[in-house]
């Protein structure tokens, strides 16, 4: 049996592993904080809603089935298979009939 002289100093390999694990943990924490900071900075807030015209006039008896906002126009598809293209001010720019 070996005599017990009290706690022994850790082996050099174990000391190296402790330093390595501590360094990797700190690196992961810094990386996680950087990713969260970039997400907070880069992601925009709520998307701006498109500006609606005060009123648009649909053909007699037509009902809106679909509404699409584009950069410089508003596209309305009606239940009568018509595609109506309006300006942002609500004026009819073009009318197409689907077959």
């Amino acid at each position: 049996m070996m005599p017990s002289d009290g706690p022994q100093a850790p082996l050099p390999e174990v000391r190296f592993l402790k330093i390595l694990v501590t360094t990797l943990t700190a690196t992961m924490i810094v990386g996680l904080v950087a990713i969260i900071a970039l997400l907070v900075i880069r992601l925009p807030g709520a998307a701006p809603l498109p500006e609606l015209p005060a009123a648009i006039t649909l053909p007699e008896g037509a009902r809106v089935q679909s509404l699409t906002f584009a950069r410089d126009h508003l596209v309305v598809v009606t239940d009568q298979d018509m595609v109506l293209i309006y300006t942002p001010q609500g004026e009819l720019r073009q009318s197409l009939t689907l077959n």
Side-chain angles (χ1 to χ4, degrees):
M1 290 187 97
M2 296 180 73
S4 172
D5 293 337
Q8 295 179 348
L11 298 173
E13 294 86 14
V14 175
R15 191 176 320 129
F16 173 71
L17 285 176
K18 283 183 180 181
I19 293 170
L20 185 63
V21 168
T22 304
T23 304
L24 289 174
T25 303
T27 304
M28 288 176 53
I29 291 171
V30 169
L32 185 62
V33 169
I35 289 172
I36 291 171
L38 285 174
L39 286 174
V40 168
I41 292 169
R42 295 281 181 145
L43 289 180
L49 296 175
E51 293 185 29
L52 294 172
I56 58 171
T57 38
L58 296 174
E60 185 70 33
R63 293 179 47 187
V64 175
Q65 293 296 311
S66 174
L67 181 65
T68 304
F69 298 96
R71 183 171 18 109
D72 60 346
H73 57 273
L74 176 73
V75 180
V76 177
V77 179
T78 67
D79 59 350
Q80 297 174 347
D81 291 331
M82 293 180 65
V83 178
L84 306 170
I85 302 174
Y86 291 91
T87 65
Q89 293 76 29
E91 300 168 8
L92 183 63
R93 179 185 291 175
Q94 188 174 1
S95 174
L96 304 167
T97 303
L98 301 175
N99 294 334

